[in-house]
Amino acid sequence: MKEPDTSSPLTLKDIARQAGVSLATVDRVLHNRPGVRPDTVRRVREAIERNSFQPHVAAAELARGRARRFAFVMPVGANPFMLQIEAYIGEMAGWLSARRLTVEMIKTDVFDPSVLAASLEQLTGGDYDGVAVVALDHPSVRAAINDLVDSGTKVVTLVSDVPSSRRHHYIGIDNIAAGRTAGALVGRLVGLRPGKIAIIAGTQSLRDHAERIFGFNQVMASEFSQLEILPLVEGRDEDDRSEQLISGLLGKHPDIVGLYNVGAGTQGVAKALTEAGREKQIVFIAHDLTAMTRKLLLQGTLDVAISQNPGHEARAAVRVLLSLARNEPILIEQEKIRIDILMRDNLP
Amino acid sequence: MKEPDTSSPLTLKDIARQAGVSLATVDRVLHNRPGVRPDTVRRVREAIERNSFQPHVAAAELARGRARRFAFVMPVGANPFMLQIEAYIGEMAGWLSARRLTVEMIKTDVFDPSVLAASLEQLTGGDYDGVAVVALDHPSVRAAINDLVDSGTKVVTLVSDVPSSRRHHYIGIDNIAAGRTAGALVGRLVGLRPGKIAIIAGTQSLRDHAERIFGFNQVMASEFSQLEILPLVEGRDEDDRSEQLISGLLGKHPDIVGLYNVGAGTQGVAKALTEAGREKQIVFIAHDLTAMTRKLLLQGTLDVAISQNPGHEARAAVRVLLSLARNEPILIEQEKIRIDILMRDNLP
DNA sequence: TTGAAAGCGCTAACAA
DNA sequence: TTGTTAGCGCTTTCAA
C-alpha cells in the first residue's frame, strides 16, 4: 500500500541542488513569494513535483519562530454547550503551548449584530493569525468577517455560520439535517400511536433554531402526516419559561405523544413532563449532551439527544486555523462535524 | 479564560539558567534519563514546574532527526470496513510525509492466531516505532504483543482488542454497548407490534461479534421480553450465505418484525428481505457505513446503521502511536471512538 | 532576481 | 555527574 521509502527524506537543499538554485529561491517558490523569474519558478516547481517533496513542518515551524495567536469569539452567559467548547479549549493548554500557540477567549453578545460586528472589527488590528467566531448571520457581521479576512486573518465560523461571508471554513453541523433527524426519530419512535406533537424552540430568529424547525417540519409533513404538529412555542432557552409553556400544552392536550425541544431549557421541559407524570408515554427528543441530558437519557425521560461533539468542534477549530495559518491542506473529512444520535446505550 | 501570555515563550535555556545547570542536564531531567544527581533533578523539576514549561515539539522533532516508522497489521481480503481504514491512511500521505512519518501496511490472516502471532514476531526486530494491529484475542497473539511492547515498540490494538495484553492503547468501540444500542433500537422501532426478532452474525468465535450479540440479548431480555428472539444463524460475513439463511428464516416465520445483522453480508440480507417483499415491514439494523449500507438507508430497506468512523480510527491510531513515540500525553477524549447511530437524515 | 549565512529550540555525541 | 557543541531543515534578513 505504501512504499517503505528507504532513502532518507529529501530536504530543501536537495531540491535546490536539483533545480540549480539556492535554498532561498526554493523557499520563495514554495511560498509563492514574488521576485523569482518565471523560468526559475518552473524549474523549481518541476524539481518539487518530480520528488513529490514535502517540506518538514517541524523545521518550518521552528525557523519562523513567531508564536501564533488565535482568538475565539464566544457568547457571554451560561449556555452549557458553549461552556463545554471553552472547557475543551482549556484542556488543550499543554498541546497548544507545546506548539507555541495561544488562544484568547473573547466573550461578547453574539446575539446583537452590532456588538458582535464591533468586537470583530477590534480584532482586525490585533494581529491575530486566526479567529473562530460563533457568528450571527447578519449583514454587519458579514462585513466584519470579510474585513478580518481582507486583513489577512484566517476566519472560521463556529457552531453557527455566515455562509455569505468569505470565512475560510465553517465548523459545525447542518442544522436542517439535524431537524430532519429529530423529526424522523420522533415519528419512528411514536410508531403507530395516534396523537399530537409539541415543539418548543428558544427563538425562531436564531438561524440554527430556525433551520432545525424547518427540517423537522419537512419530515413530519412528508412522512408522518397522521401526526398533528402543535403550533411552536418559544421558551427563550430558559428552564422556567420552558417548563411553564410545556405544562400548559400538556394540560391542554392530553393526546400529546411526542415532544421536540429545539434549543436549550431541556431541564425545564423535563420537569413539566415528569410533574405531569407523562415522561414514559411521550417520546421526548432534545439537543446536546450535558450533565442534565445525560441524566435524563439514563432515567428514560429523554429518549434521544441529538448532539454535536463540542470537544471535536473545539479541536477542529484550532486545527483548521492552524492549517490555514501554515498554508497546509486541511483534512476535510477529519474536520467535519457529525450529527450525533445519542441514546442511553451509546452515551460516550 | 487564558492569560494572553505576553512574554515570549520560555526555552530550555531559560530553565537551565534558572536551575543553574546546562542545557543537557535539563534535557536529561525532561526525559528521565539517568546520570543526574537527585538533588539536581529536583532543582530542575522545580524550575520546570514554576514556569509550567513546555518544550517546543517542533524543535524536539527536528533535533531528533530520525524519521519514525509505523506498521499497520490488517486482515487480508475484501472486508469493506478494513479497506476504508486503509484508504484513510492513504489519504494521510501528505500529512505523514510532512512529519517524516511512514506507515507500512502488512496484510495477514488475522483470524489465524499462529499466523498473526508470527507476523507480529517478525516486527519485533524490524525497528518499528509503533505498530497498530487488528488483533484476535488469543494467548499466542497476546504473547506476541507483549514481546513487541518489551522490545520498545509502541502497540495499539485496532477495532478488535486484546485487553489482557500490555498494548498501550485500544482504538475501537465498546462492542457490548454497540450490541445494546442495536437491541434498544430494534425494540423501540418495532414498538407495539408483536412478533419475532431474527439475528445473524458472521461467527460467534470473533470477539467483537460475540460481544455485540451479548449486548443485544441483554437489552432484549430485560426490556423487550414480549419479543421472541429466534436462534442465531451464522452467515460467515458472506452475502450469498447470509441471503440463503435469511430467506429460510423469512419463509419459516411470517411474523418476523425485526432483524439484526451483527457482521458483514448486509447486501445478502437486504436482498433476502426485498425478495420476500418485506423490507418495509421489518425493522432492519446492521453495522458499518459502506456504499451499500448507505444506499439501503436511503431507500429505506435498512433503518439504522450502527458504525464506527473508519477515518477517525485510522487517524486516531496514527496520532496515538505518534504521541506514544514522542512520550507526549494523549488527548484521550479526542481519541475515543464513538458508536455512531446513522439513519437516513444524519448520514455524513 | 538570486544567494549566503545566521539562527529557531531542541537532541545527542563527546568531553571534562 | 555535568557541560560543550554541532547539527536537524527550514525562514529570513542582508548583500550581491
Side-chain angles (χ1 to χ4, degrees):
Chain A
M1 312 288 87
K2 313 213 90 262
E3 286 116 44
D5 205 341
T6 46
S7 60
S8 88
L10 294 175
T11 70
L12 260 197
K13 208 148 83 179
D14 300 308
I15 302 298
R17 193 166 2 85
Q18 283 198 31
V21 296
S22 74
L23 271 188
T25 299
V26 180
D27 189 70
R28 288 183 186 108
V29 173
L30 216 42
H31 299 91
N32 305 308
R33 277 190 268 268
V36 187
R37 229 179 328 124
D39 185 56
T40 314
V41 172
R42 198 184 39 69
R43 274 195 354 264
V44 174
R45 286 249 163 80
E46 273 171 18
I48 292 175
E49 294 296 319
R50 185 162 2 104
N51 300 282
S52 55
F53 168 72
Q54 291 271 0
H56 194 321
V57 282
E61 208 48 29
L62 180 58
R64 75 190 301 286
R66 208 169 58 75
R68 299 186 194 272
R69 292 175 68 206
F70 299 142
F72 272 57
V73 180
M74 308 278 297
V76 288
N79 182 323
F81 180 72
M82 297 299 172
L83 293 177
Q84 286 183 65
I85 291 184
E86 285 174 44
Y88 282 115
I89 295 285
E91 283 186 13
M92 296 179 77
W95 189 93
L96 290 167
S97 82
R99 287 160 183 75
R100 301 301 181 260
L101 304 175
T102 58
V103 172
E104 292 164 43
M105 283 292 165
I106 294 169
K107 305 292 212 83
T108 190
D109 183 355
V110 303
F111 298 125
D112 182 330
S114 57
V115 172
L116 175 55
S119 299
L120 290 174
E121 294 294 357
Q122 277 199 315
L123 301 181
T124 309
D127 51 41
Y128 285 97
D129 298 279
V131 170
V133 54
V134 177
L136 189 72
D137 193 5
H138 183 279
S140 60
V141 174
R142 179 180 54 211
I145 289 177
N146 288 342
D147 285 352
L148 259 179
V149 171
D150 290 335
S151 78
T153 303
K154 308 298 181 185
V155 178
V156 305
T157 47
L158 188 61
V159 181
S160 174
D161 194 18
V162 186
S164 60
S165 71
R166 294 204 308 282
R167 89 277 186 281
H168 298 88
H169 207 89
Y170 164 58
I171 307 281
I173 60 172
D174 174 347
N175 280 299
I176 295 181
R180 292 183 56 92
T181 304
L185 280 162
V186 167
R188 296 293 311 256
L189 292 180
V190 163
L192 303 174
R193 289 179 286 160
K196 294 177 183 146
I197 307 294
I199 169 168
I200 175 169
T203 154
Q204 288 191 78
S205 59
L206 272 180
R207 190 187 176 97
D208 54 348
H209 287 203
E211 288 181 343
R212 289 175 187 173
I213 295 164
F214 178 81
F216 183 83
N217 285 331
Q218 212 179 31
V219 167
M220 295 309 287
S222 69
E223 290 178 50
F224 305 100
S225 47
Q226 79 281 9
L227 293 169
E228 180 191 341
I229 315 289
L230 294 173
L232 177 106
V233 296
E234 300 193 348
R236 291 189 206 136
D237 284 356
E238 296 160 14
D239 286 327
D240 291 347
R241 188 178 156 90
S242 301
E243 180 186 348
Q244 284 167 19
L245 287 167
I246 295 301
S247 285
L249 285 180
L250 290 174
K252 220 176 304 166
H253 305 280
D255 54 348
I256 288 178
V257 290
L259 171 53
Y260 174 38
N261 180 17
V262 179
T266 297
Q267 180 163 18
V269 176
K271 198 164 166 214
L273 267 177
T274 49
E275 289 195 345
R278 288 161 69 185
E279 73 274 18
K280 300 291 173 199
Q281 293 91 280
I282 293 181
V283 171
F284 177 24
I285 294 190
H287 280 269
D288 298 339
L289 182 64
T290 62
M292 176 51 56
T293 55
R294 177 185 290 274
K295 202 181 93 192
L296 293 172
L297 279 172
L298 288 173
Q299 68 191 32
T301 305
L302 184 61
D303 293 283
V304 180
I306 295 177
S307 89
Q308 40 191 331
N309 185 329
H312 189 189
E313 301 210 25
R315 292 181 296 264
V318 172
R319 278 195 305 259
V320 167
L321 285 177
L322 183 56
S323 296
L324 288 168
R326 287 181 178 168
N327 285 312
E328 270 180 1
I330 294 164
L331 294 175
I332 314 123
E333 150 80 16
Q334 168 170 222
E335 311 307 355
K336 201 175 205 168
I337 310 297
R338 294 199 174 193
I339 299 168
D340 293 332
I341 296 177
L342 298 177
M343 301 178 67
R344 197 197 48 198
D345 294 299
N346 74 328
L347 280 176
Chain B
M1 314 290 92
K2 313 211 89 264
E3 286 117 43
D5 206 342
T6 45
S7 60
S8 89
L10 293 175
T11 71
L12 262 196
K13 211 148 83 179
D14 300 309
I15 302 299
R17 191 164 4 84
Q18 283 199 31
V21 296
S22 74
L23 269 190
T25 299
V26 180
D27 189 68
R28 287 181 187 108
V29 172
L30 217 41
H31 299 91
N32 304 309
R33 278 190 267 269
V36 186
R37 231 181 325 125
D39 184 58
T40 315
V41 173
R42 197 184 40 68
R43 270 191 2 260
V44 174
R45 286 248 163 81
E46 273 171 18
I48 292 175
E49 294 295 319
R50 185 163 1 105
N51 300 282
S52 53
F53 168 72
Q54 290 272 1
H56 193 321
V57 282
E61 203 55 23
L62 181 59
R64 135 191 310 264
R66 210 168 56 75
R68 299 184 191 274
R69 293 175 67 206
F70 299 143
F72 272 58
V73 180
M74 308 278 297
V76 288
N79 182 322
F81 180 73
M82 297 297 172
L83 293 177
Q84 287 183 64
I85 291 184
E86 285 175 44
Y88 283 116
I89 295 286
E91 283 186 13
M92 294 180 78
W95 189 92
L96 290 167
S97 81
R99 285 160 184 75
R100 300 303 182 258
L101 304 175
T102 58
V103 171
E104 292 164 43
M105 282 291 164
I106 294 169
K107 304 290 211 84
T108 190
D109 183 356
V110 303
F111 298 125
D112 182 330
S114 57
V115 172
L116 175 54
S119 299
L120 290 175
E121 294 293 356
Q122 276 199 316
L123 301 181
T124 310
D127 53 40
Y128 286 97
D129 298 280
V131 171
V133 54
V134 177
L136 190 72
D137 193 7
H138 183 278
S140 60
V141 174
R142 178 181 54 210
I145 288 178
N146 288 342
D147 284 353
L148 259 180
V149 171
D150 289 336
S151 79
T153 303
K154 307 299 181 184
V155 179
V156 304
T157 47
L158 188 60
V159 181
S160 174
D161 192 19
V162 186
S164 60
S165 71
R166 294 206 306 283
R167 88 279 187 282
H168 299 87
H169 208 91
Y170 164 57
I171 306 282
I173 60 172
D174 173 347
N175 280 298
I176 295 181
R180 292 182 57 91
T181 304
L185 280 162
V186 167
R188 296 291 313 253
L189 292 180
V190 163
L192 303 173
R193 290 179 286 159
K196 294 175 183 149
I197 307 295
I199 169 167
I200 175 170
T203 153
Q204 290 190 77
S205 60
L206 273 179
R207 190 188 176 94
D208 53 349
H209 287 204
E211 289 181 342
R212 289 174 188 175
I213 295 164
F214 177 81
F216 184 83
N217 285 330
Q218 212 180 31
V219 167
M220 295 310 286
S222 70
E223 290 177 49
F224 305 101
S225 47
Q226 79 281 8
L227 294 168
E228 181 191 341
I229 315 289
L230 295 172
L232 177 108
V233 295
E234 299 193 350
R236 292 190 205 135
D237 284 355
E238 295 160 15
D239 286 327
D240 291 347
R241 189 179 157 89
S242 300
E243 180 186 348
Q244 284 167 21
L245 286 168
I246 296 302
S247 286
L249 285 181
L250 290 174
K252 221 176 303 166
H253 305 280
D255 54 348
I256 287 178
V257 290
L259 170 54
Y260 173 39
N261 181 16
V262 180
T266 297
Q267 182 163 17
V269 176
K271 200 165 165 213
L273 267 177
T274 48
E275 288 193 345
R278 289 162 68 184
E279 73 274 18
K280 300 291 174 200
Q281 293 92 281
I282 293 180
V283 171
F284 178 25
I285 293 188
H287 280 269
D288 296 339
L289 182 63
T290 62
M292 176 53 55
T293 55
R294 176 185 291 274
K295 204 181 90 190
L296 293 172
L297 279 172
L298 289 172
Q299 68 192 31
T301 305
L302 184 61
D303 294 282
V304 179
I306 295 176
S307 90
Q308 41 191 328
N309 185 330
H312 189 189
E313 302 210 25
R315 292 181 295 265
V318 172
R319 277 195 304 258
V320 168
L321 285 177
L322 183 57
S323 296
L324 287 168
R326 288 181 179 167
N327 285 313
E328 271 179 3
I330 294 164
L331 294 174
I332 314 124
E333 148 79 17
Q334 167 170 225
E335 311 307 354
K336 201 175 206 168
I337 310 298
R338 294 199 174 193
I339 299 167
D340 292 332
I341 296 177
L342 298 177
M343 301 177 69
R344 197 197 48 197
D345 293 299
N346 74 327
L347 280 176

